[in-house]
Amino acid sequence: MSDKFDIDQLFNQLRDSEPALDDSFFVNTVASKLKNNNNVEFLTKENLSTLVAGAIGYGVAIGYFPAMELIEFTQSIAQIPTTFTLTPTYLISILGISSTFAGLTYWVSEKEWSS
Amino acid sequence: MNEVSDQVLIQKVVTLNCHDSFADLVKRHQSSLRYSLRQITGWDQALADDIAQETFIKAYQAIPSFKGTAKFSSWLYRIAYNIFVSHFRVARNRELTSSETVSNYSRCVGLSESSDLHRDLAKALLNLPPKQRIALHLHLHKQLTHDEICNIMEIPLGSVKTLITRGKKILQDDLSSWKHGDRI
Protein backbone atom coordinates (compact mmCIF):
# COMPACT_ATOMS: atom_id res chain seq x y z
CA MET A 1 0.00 0.00 0.00
CA SER A 2 1.18 3.54 -0.75
CA ASP A 3 2.76 5.45 2.10
CA LYS A 4 1.24 8.68 0.77
CA PHE A 5 -1.18 10.75 2.79
CA ASP A 6 -4.77 10.40 1.59
CA ILE A 7 -5.68 14.00 0.86
CA ASP A 8 -9.18 13.23 -0.37
CA GLN A 9 -9.99 11.47 2.88
CA LEU A 10 -8.58 14.38 4.86
CA PHE A 11 -10.75 16.88 2.99
CA ASN A 12 -13.80 14.66 3.43
CA GLN A 13 -13.12 14.71 7.16
CA LEU A 14 -12.74 18.51 7.09
CA ARG A 15 -15.94 18.96 5.13
CA ASP A 16 -17.91 16.82 7.54
CA SER A 17 -16.63 18.76 10.52
CA GLU A 18 -16.66 22.29 9.03
CA PRO A 19 -17.68 24.63 11.85
CA ALA A 20 -20.69 26.95 11.48
CA LEU A 21 -19.25 30.37 12.28
CA ASP A 22 -21.34 32.67 14.44
CA ASP A 23 -23.03 35.33 12.34
CA SER A 24 -24.38 37.96 14.76
CA PHE A 25 -21.33 40.20 15.11
CA PHE A 26 -20.28 39.77 11.51
CA VAL A 27 -23.72 40.58 10.07
CA ASN A 28 -24.02 43.65 12.31
CA THR A 29 -20.64 44.94 11.17
CA VAL A 30 -21.53 44.50 7.50
CA ALA A 31 -24.93 46.15 8.10
CA SER A 32 -23.37 49.18 9.79
CA LYS A 33 -20.90 49.61 6.92
CA LEU A 34 -23.75 49.41 4.44
CA LYS A 35 -25.64 52.10 6.36
CA ASN A 36 -22.64 54.41 5.99
CA ASN A 37 -22.70 53.77 2.25
CA ASN A 38 -26.40 54.49 2.24
CA ASN A 39 -25.87 57.94 3.80
CA VAL A 40 -23.91 58.98 0.76
CA GLU A 41 -26.64 57.64 -1.49
CA PHE A 42 -29.26 59.64 0.44
CA LEU A 43 -27.26 62.84 -0.08
CA THR A 44 -27.06 62.11 -3.77
CA LYS A 45 -30.82 61.64 -3.96
CA GLU A 46 -31.32 64.87 -2.05
CA ASN A 47 -29.08 66.72 -4.48
CA LEU A 48 -30.96 65.25 -7.40
CA SER A 49 -34.33 66.34 -6.02
CA THR A 50 -32.91 69.85 -5.43
CA LEU A 51 -31.82 69.98 -9.05
CA VAL A 52 -35.25 68.85 -10.26
CA ALA A 53 -36.99 71.40 -8.02
CA GLY A 54 -34.61 74.07 -9.32
CA ALA A 55 -35.41 73.18 -12.93
CA ILE A 56 -39.15 73.37 -12.20
CA GLY A 57 -38.62 76.74 -10.52
CA TYR A 58 -36.76 78.07 -13.55
CA GLY A 59 -39.56 76.77 -15.78
CA VAL A 60 -42.12 78.76 -13.78
CA ALA A 61 -39.98 81.90 -13.58
CA ILE A 62 -38.90 81.98 -17.23
CA GLY A 63 -41.83 84.28 -18.14
CA TYR A 64 -40.51 86.88 -15.73
CA PHE A 65 -36.97 86.56 -17.03
CA PRO A 66 -35.57 89.96 -18.14
CA ALA A 67 -34.56 88.80 -21.59
CA MET A 68 -34.46 92.25 -23.21
CA GLU A 69 -32.27 93.71 -20.50
CA LEU A 70 -29.94 90.78 -20.88
CA ILE A 71 -29.73 91.28 -24.63
CA GLU A 72 -28.86 94.90 -24.08
CA PHE A 73 -26.26 93.82 -21.56
CA THR A 74 -24.69 91.34 -24.01
CA GLN A 75 -24.65 94.09 -26.62
CA SER A 76 -22.78 96.33 -24.24
CA ILE A 77 -20.37 93.46 -23.54
CA ALA A 78 -19.79 93.15 -27.27
CA GLN A 79 -18.54 96.72 -27.24
CA ILE A 80 -15.57 95.77 -25.10
CA PRO A 81 -12.51 95.79 -27.35
CA THR A 82 -11.24 92.31 -28.22
CA THR A 83 -7.67 93.44 -28.84
CA PHE A 84 -5.57 95.72 -26.71
CA THR A 85 -1.90 96.62 -26.40
CA LEU A 86 -0.07 95.41 -23.32
CA THR A 87 2.06 98.32 -22.13
CA PRO A 88 4.55 98.05 -19.22
CA THR A 89 2.36 100.28 -17.09
CA TYR A 90 -0.69 98.12 -17.78
CA LEU A 91 1.28 94.95 -16.99
CA ILE A 92 2.55 96.37 -13.70
CA SER A 93 -0.99 97.42 -12.79
CA ILE A 94 -2.32 93.88 -13.43
CA LEU A 95 0.51 92.35 -11.40
CA GLY A 96 -0.10 94.81 -8.58
CA ILE A 97 -3.84 94.14 -8.47
CA SER A 98 -3.44 90.36 -8.61
CA SER A 99 -0.71 90.40 -5.92
CA THR A 100 -2.88 92.53 -3.67
CA PHE A 101 -5.84 90.23 -4.22
CA ALA A 102 -3.72 87.11 -3.55
CA GLY A 103 -2.23 88.67 -0.42
CA LEU A 104 -5.65 89.70 0.84
CA THR A 105 -7.02 86.19 0.23
CA TYR A 106 -4.06 84.65 2.07
CA TRP A 107 -4.49 87.04 4.99
CA VAL A 108 -8.21 86.32 5.27
CA SER A 109 -7.65 82.56 5.19
CA GLU A 110 -4.81 82.63 7.74
CA LYS A 111 -6.27 85.15 10.16
CA GLU A 112 -7.73 83.67 13.31
CA TRP A 113 -11.04 85.46 13.73
CA SER A 114 -11.97 86.07 17.34
CA SER A 115 -15.61 85.64 18.28
CA MET B 1 -39.55 25.52 6.86
CA ASN B 2 -40.11 27.40 3.64
CA GLU B 3 -36.85 29.21 2.93
CA VAL B 4 -36.79 32.04 0.41
CA SER B 5 -34.37 31.42 -2.45
CA ASP B 6 -31.26 33.53 -3.03
CA GLN B 7 -32.75 34.80 -6.28
CA VAL B 8 -35.85 36.18 -4.54
CA LEU B 9 -33.73 37.92 -1.92
CA ILE B 10 -31.46 39.38 -4.61
CA GLN B 11 -34.50 40.66 -6.48
CA LYS B 12 -35.71 42.43 -3.33
CA VAL B 13 -32.30 44.01 -2.80
CA VAL B 14 -32.15 45.24 -6.41
CA THR B 15 -35.71 46.52 -6.75
CA LEU B 16 -36.52 47.66 -3.20
CA ASN B 17 -32.99 48.30 -1.89
CA CYS B 18 -34.05 46.02 0.96
CA HIS B 19 -31.31 45.83 3.58
CA ASP B 20 -33.02 43.03 5.48
CA SER B 21 -32.95 40.80 2.43
CA PHE B 22 -29.27 41.48 1.97
CA ALA B 23 -28.71 40.75 5.66
CA ASP B 24 -30.41 37.37 5.07
CA LEU B 25 -28.01 36.69 2.21
CA VAL B 26 -25.07 37.60 4.44
CA LYS B 27 -26.36 35.31 7.20
CA ARG B 28 -26.81 32.49 4.73
CA HIS B 29 -23.37 32.68 3.11
CA GLN B 30 -21.06 34.22 5.70
CA SER B 31 -20.01 31.06 7.50
CA SER B 32 -18.93 29.20 4.39
CA LEU B 33 -17.11 32.21 2.92
CA ARG B 34 -15.35 33.10 6.17
CA TYR B 35 -14.31 29.50 6.67
CA SER B 36 -12.85 29.36 3.15
CA LEU B 37 -10.99 32.61 3.69
CA ARG B 38 -9.59 31.29 6.96
CA GLN B 39 -8.38 28.22 5.12
CA ILE B 40 -6.53 30.20 2.47
CA THR B 41 -5.11 32.84 4.84
CA GLY B 42 -3.49 30.33 7.18
CA TRP B 43 -6.37 30.68 9.66
CA ASP B 44 -5.77 34.41 10.07
CA GLN B 45 -9.23 35.18 11.47
CA ALA B 46 -8.92 38.97 11.41
CA LEU B 47 -7.70 39.08 7.82
CA ALA B 48 -10.27 36.52 6.69
CA ASP B 49 -13.12 38.50 8.28
CA ASP B 50 -11.86 41.77 6.80
CA ILE B 51 -11.83 40.25 3.32
CA ALA B 52 -15.27 38.70 3.93
CA GLN B 53 -16.71 42.08 5.00
CA GLU B 54 -15.24 43.81 1.96
CA THR B 55 -16.63 41.02 -0.21
CA PHE B 56 -20.18 41.52 1.05
CA ILE B 57 -19.99 45.29 0.75
CA LYS B 58 -18.72 45.04 -2.84
CA ALA B 59 -21.39 42.43 -3.54
CA TYR B 60 -24.07 44.82 -2.27
CA GLN B 61 -22.78 47.61 -4.48
CA ALA B 62 -22.53 45.36 -7.54
CA ILE B 63 -25.65 43.28 -6.97
CA PRO B 64 -27.62 44.93 -9.82
CA SER B 65 -24.99 43.50 -12.19
CA PHE B 66 -25.51 39.96 -10.89
CA LYS B 67 -26.99 38.08 -13.85
CA GLY B 68 -27.99 34.91 -12.02
CA THR B 69 -26.26 32.67 -14.56
CA ALA B 70 -23.94 31.35 -11.83
CA LYS B 71 -24.75 30.53 -8.22
CA PHE B 72 -24.73 33.52 -5.87
CA SER B 73 -22.14 31.74 -3.72
CA SER B 74 -19.82 31.35 -6.75
CA TRP B 75 -20.24 35.05 -7.52
CA LEU B 76 -19.32 35.88 -3.92
CA TYR B 77 -16.26 33.65 -4.13
CA ARG B 78 -15.21 35.45 -7.29
CA ILE B 79 -15.35 38.82 -5.54
CA ALA B 80 -13.54 37.41 -2.49
CA TYR B 81 -10.89 35.86 -4.71
CA ASN B 82 -10.17 39.22 -6.38
CA ILE B 83 -9.93 40.97 -3.02
CA PHE B 84 -7.66 38.24 -1.67
CA VAL B 85 -5.37 38.42 -4.71
CA SER B 86 -5.11 42.21 -4.52
CA HIS B 87 -4.43 41.95 -0.79
CA PHE B 88 -1.69 39.43 -1.46
CA ARG B 89 -0.21 41.73 -4.12
CA VAL B 90 -0.05 44.58 -1.60
CA ALA B 91 1.45 42.25 1.01
CA ARG B 92 4.07 41.10 -1.48
CA ASN B 93 4.92 44.72 -2.21
CA ARG B 94 5.53 45.08 1.49
CA GLU B 95 8.22 42.46 1.03
CA LEU B 96 6.23 39.63 2.55
CA THR B 97 8.21 36.98 0.72
CA SER B 98 7.17 33.38 0.40
CA SER B 99 10.15 32.31 2.52
CA GLU B 100 8.91 34.56 5.31
CA THR B 101 5.49 32.98 5.00
CA VAL B 102 6.94 29.50 5.23
CA SER B 103 8.99 30.38 8.29
CA ASN B 104 5.89 31.88 9.90
CA TYR B 105 4.06 28.68 9.14
CA SER B 106 6.76 26.59 10.74
CA ARG B 107 6.74 28.79 13.80
CA CYS B 108 2.97 28.56 14.13
CA VAL B 109 2.97 24.82 13.74
CA GLY B 110 5.74 24.46 16.24
CA LEU B 111 4.02 26.60 18.84
CA SER B 112 0.48 25.41 18.41
CA GLU B 113 -0.88 23.05 21.01
CA SER B 114 -4.25 22.79 19.34
CA SER B 115 -5.29 19.61 17.66
CA ASP B 116 -7.68 21.50 15.50
CA LEU B 117 -7.45 19.84 12.12
CA HIS B 118 -8.92 22.82 10.27
CA ARG B 119 -6.37 25.24 11.64
CA ASP B 120 -3.48 22.87 11.02
CA LEU B 121 -4.43 22.29 7.42
CA ALA B 122 -4.88 26.03 6.85
CA LYS B 123 -1.35 26.57 8.08
CA ALA B 124 -0.05 23.73 5.94
CA LEU B 125 -1.74 25.32 2.90
CA LEU B 126 0.42 28.41 3.41
CA ASN B 127 3.27 26.42 1.85
CA LEU B 128 1.46 26.61 -1.47
CA PRO B 129 1.32 29.66 -3.74
CA PRO B 130 -1.98 31.56 -3.27
CA LYS B 131 -3.58 30.45 -6.53
CA GLN B 132 -2.78 26.78 -5.90
CA ARG B 133 -4.13 27.15 -2.37
CA ILE B 134 -7.41 28.59 -3.57
CA ALA B 135 -7.88 26.12 -6.43
CA LEU B 136 -7.18 23.21 -4.13
CA HIS B 137 -9.57 24.45 -1.46
CA LEU B 138 -12.37 25.11 -3.93
CA HIS B 139 -11.92 21.72 -5.57
CA LEU B 140 -11.22 19.41 -2.65
CA HIS B 141 -13.14 21.10 0.14
CA LYS B 142 -15.95 22.97 -1.60
CA GLN B 143 -16.18 20.29 -4.29
CA LEU B 144 -16.66 22.84 -7.06
CA THR B 145 -16.27 21.68 -10.64
CA HIS B 146 -13.32 22.76 -12.76
CA ASP B 147 -15.62 25.03 -14.75
CA GLU B 148 -16.89 26.76 -11.63
CA ILE B 149 -13.31 27.30 -10.47
CA CYS B 150 -12.47 28.71 -13.93
CA ASN B 151 -15.26 31.24 -13.52
CA ILE B 152 -14.22 32.22 -10.03
CA MET B 153 -10.51 32.55 -10.75
CA GLU B 154 -10.97 33.77 -14.33
CA ILE B 155 -8.26 31.49 -15.67
CA PRO B 156 -8.35 28.78 -18.39
CA LEU B 157 -9.47 25.25 -17.64
CA GLY B 158 -5.99 23.82 -18.24
CA SER B 159 -4.48 26.19 -15.68
CA VAL B 160 -7.06 25.15 -13.08
CA LYS B 161 -6.27 21.47 -13.61
CA THR B 162 -2.53 22.13 -13.38
CA LEU B 163 -2.93 24.18 -10.19
CA ILE B 164 -4.96 21.41 -8.57
CA THR B 165 -2.65 18.57 -9.63
CA ARG B 166 0.53 20.36 -8.56
CA GLY B 167 -0.98 21.71 -5.36
CA LYS B 168 -2.28 18.30 -4.41
CA LYS B 169 1.14 16.72 -4.92
CA ILE B 170 2.95 19.36 -2.86
CA LEU B 171 0.39 19.15 -0.07
CA GLN B 172 0.51 15.38 -0.12
CA ASP B 173 4.29 15.43 0.30
CA ASP B 174 4.10 18.06 3.04
CA LEU B 175 1.47 16.16 4.98
CA SER B 176 3.01 12.72 4.64
CA SER B 177 4.55 13.20 8.06
CA TRP B 178 1.04 13.49 9.54
CA LYS B 179 0.53 9.83 8.77
CA HIS B 180 3.25 8.95 11.20
CA GLY B 181 1.62 10.97 13.95
CA ASP B 182 3.87 14.02 13.60
CA ARG B 183 0.98 16.46 13.18
CA ILE B 184 1.72 19.33 15.54
Side-chain angles (χ1 to χ4, degrees), chain A residues 20-32, chain B residues 23 26-27 30-31 34 53:
Chain A
L21 302 176
D22 180 44
D23 62 1
S24 52
F25 180 73
F26 183 82
V27 175
N28 287 341
T29 313
V30 173
S32 65
Chain B
V26 176
K27 275 180 197 165
Q30 59 87 25
S31 181
R34 285 165 70 203
Q53 276 174 26

Short mmCIF file of all heavy atoms in Angstrom, two decimals, chain A residues 20-32, chain B residues 23 26-27 30-31 34 53:
data_model
loop_
_atom_site.label_atom_id
_atom_site.label_comp_id
_atom_site.label_asym_id
_atom_site.label_seq_id
_atom_site.Cartn_x
_atom_site.Cartn_y
_atom_site.Cartn_z
N ALA A 20 -19.77 25.87 11.88
CA ALA A 20 -20.69 26.95 11.48
C ALA A 20 -20.28 28.18 12.27
O ALA A 20 -20.40 28.21 13.49
CB ALA A 20 -22.12 26.56 11.79
N LEU A 21 -19.77 29.18 11.58
CA LEU A 21 -19.25 30.37 12.28
C LEU A 21 -20.41 31.28 12.70
O LEU A 21 -21.35 31.48 11.93
CB LEU A 21 -18.27 31.11 11.38
CG LEU A 21 -17.07 30.28 10.91
CD1 LEU A 21 -16.20 31.09 9.95
CD2 LEU A 21 -16.22 29.82 12.09
N ASP A 22 -20.29 31.81 13.89
CA ASP A 22 -21.34 32.67 14.44
C ASP A 22 -21.53 33.92 13.57
O ASP A 22 -20.55 34.55 13.16
CB ASP A 22 -20.95 33.07 15.87
CG ASP A 22 -22.00 33.95 16.49
OD1 ASP A 22 -23.19 33.63 16.34
OD2 ASP A 22 -21.64 34.97 17.10
N ASP A 23 -22.78 34.26 13.30
CA ASP A 23 -23.03 35.33 12.34
C ASP A 23 -23.38 36.68 12.95
O ASP A 23 -23.27 37.69 12.28
CB ASP A 23 -24.15 34.91 11.37
CG ASP A 23 -25.47 34.68 12.08
OD1 ASP A 23 -25.52 34.86 13.30
OD2 ASP A 23 -26.44 34.31 11.39
N SER A 24 -23.77 36.73 14.22
CA SER A 24 -24.38 37.96 14.76
C SER A 24 -23.46 39.17 14.63
O SER A 24 -23.85 40.20 14.07
CB SER A 24 -24.80 37.75 16.20
OG SER A 24 -23.71 37.24 16.93
N PHE A 25 -22.24 39.06 15.13
CA PHE A 25 -21.33 40.20 15.11
C PHE A 25 -20.97 40.57 13.67
O PHE A 25 -20.96 41.74 13.30
CB PHE A 25 -20.07 39.89 15.92
CG PHE A 25 -19.08 41.02 15.93
CD1 PHE A 25 -19.33 42.16 16.68
CD2 PHE A 25 -17.92 40.96 15.18
CE1 PHE A 25 -18.43 43.22 16.68
CE2 PHE A 25 -17.02 42.00 15.17
CZ PHE A 25 -17.27 43.13 15.92
N PHE A 26 -20.70 39.54 12.89
CA PHE A 26 -20.28 39.77 11.51
C PHE A 26 -21.38 40.48 10.71
O PHE A 26 -21.12 41.47 10.01
CB PHE A 26 -19.91 38.44 10.85
CG PHE A 26 -19.40 38.59 9.45
CD1 PHE A 26 -18.08 38.93 9.22
CD2 PHE A 26 -20.24 38.42 8.36
CE1 PHE A 26 -17.61 39.10 7.93
CE2 PHE A 26 -19.77 38.58 7.07
CZ PHE A 26 -18.46 38.92 6.86
N VAL A 27 -22.60 39.98 10.83
CA VAL A 27 -23.72 40.58 10.07
C VAL A 27 -23.95 42.03 10.50
O VAL A 27 -24.17 42.91 9.67
CB VAL A 27 -25.01 39.73 10.25
CG1 VAL A 27 -26.20 40.41 9.58
CG2 VAL A 27 -24.82 38.35 9.67
N ASN A 28 -23.84 42.28 11.82
CA ASN A 28 -24.02 43.65 12.31
C ASN A 28 -22.96 44.59 11.75
O ASN A 28 -23.25 45.74 11.40
CB ASN A 28 -23.96 43.68 13.84
CG ASN A 28 -25.22 43.09 14.45
OD1 ASN A 28 -26.24 42.99 13.79
ND2 ASN A 28 -25.13 42.67 15.70
N THR A 29 -21.72 44.10 11.69
CA THR A 29 -20.64 44.94 11.17
C THR A 29 -20.88 45.28 9.70
O THR A 29 -20.74 46.43 9.29
CB THR A 29 -19.28 44.21 11.30
OG1 THR A 29 -19.17 43.68 12.60
CG2 THR A 29 -18.11 45.13 11.03
N VAL A 30 -21.26 44.26 8.93
CA VAL A 30 -21.53 44.50 7.50
C VAL A 30 -22.70 45.48 7.36
O VAL A 30 -22.64 46.43 6.56
CB VAL A 30 -21.83 43.18 6.76
CG1 VAL A 30 -22.27 43.45 5.32
CG2 VAL A 30 -20.60 42.28 6.74
N ALA A 31 -23.74 45.28 8.18
CA ALA A 31 -24.93 46.15 8.10
C ALA A 31 -24.57 47.59 8.41
O ALA A 31 -25.04 48.52 7.72
CB ALA A 31 -26.00 45.65 9.06
N SER A 32 -23.72 47.81 9.43
CA SER A 32 -23.37 49.18 9.79
C SER A 32 -22.54 49.83 8.68
O SER A 32 -22.70 51.02 8.40
CB SER A 32 -22.62 49.23 11.12
OG SER A 32 -21.39 48.58 11.00
N ALA B 23 -29.18 41.31 4.39
CA ALA B 23 -28.71 40.75 5.66
C ALA B 23 -28.97 39.23 5.70
O ALA B 23 -28.13 38.46 6.20
CB ALA B 23 -29.39 41.44 6.83
N VAL B 26 -26.33 37.62 3.68
CA VAL B 26 -25.07 37.60 4.44
C VAL B 26 -25.10 36.47 5.46
O VAL B 26 -24.16 35.67 5.56
CB VAL B 26 -24.82 38.95 5.14
CG1 VAL B 26 -23.55 38.89 6.00
CG2 VAL B 26 -24.69 40.08 4.14
N LYS B 27 -26.23 36.37 6.19
CA LYS B 27 -26.36 35.31 7.20
C LYS B 27 -26.20 33.93 6.58
O LYS B 27 -25.59 33.04 7.14
CB LYS B 27 -27.74 35.39 7.86
CG LYS B 27 -27.80 36.37 9.01
CD LYS B 27 -29.19 36.38 9.60
CE LYS B 27 -29.39 37.61 10.46
NZ LYS B 27 -30.78 37.86 10.78
N GLN B 30 -22.27 33.75 5.02
CA GLN B 30 -21.06 34.22 5.70
C GLN B 30 -20.19 33.11 6.27
O GLN B 30 -18.96 33.16 6.17
CB GLN B 30 -21.43 35.24 6.79
CG GLN B 30 -22.38 34.78 7.88
CD GLN B 30 -21.68 34.11 9.03
OE1 GLN B 30 -20.51 34.36 9.29
NE2 GLN B 30 -22.38 33.23 9.74
N SER B 31 -20.81 32.10 6.83
CA SER B 31 -20.01 31.06 7.50
C SER B 31 -19.11 30.33 6.50
O SER B 31 -17.90 30.17 6.74
CB SER B 31 -20.95 30.07 8.20
OG SER B 31 -20.18 29.10 8.85
N ARG B 34 -16.37 32.79 5.16
CA ARG B 34 -15.35 33.10 6.17
C ARG B 34 -14.47 31.89 6.45
O ARG B 34 -13.27 32.02 6.65
CB ARG B 34 -16.04 33.58 7.46
CG ARG B 34 -16.58 35.00 7.34
CD ARG B 34 -17.54 35.30 8.46
NE ARG B 34 -16.87 35.41 9.74
CZ ARG B 34 -17.50 35.23 10.92
NH1 ARG B 34 -18.78 34.94 10.95
NH2 ARG B 34 -16.84 35.36 12.04
N GLN B 53 -15.89 40.85 4.90
CA GLN B 53 -16.71 42.08 5.00
C GLN B 53 -16.64 42.88 3.71
O GLN B 53 -17.66 43.33 3.17
CB GLN B 53 -16.19 42.95 6.13
CG GLN B 53 -16.74 42.57 7.49
CD GLN B 53 -16.09 43.38 8.60
OE1 GLN B 53 -15.62 44.49 8.37
NE2 GLN B 53 -16.04 42.81 9.78
#
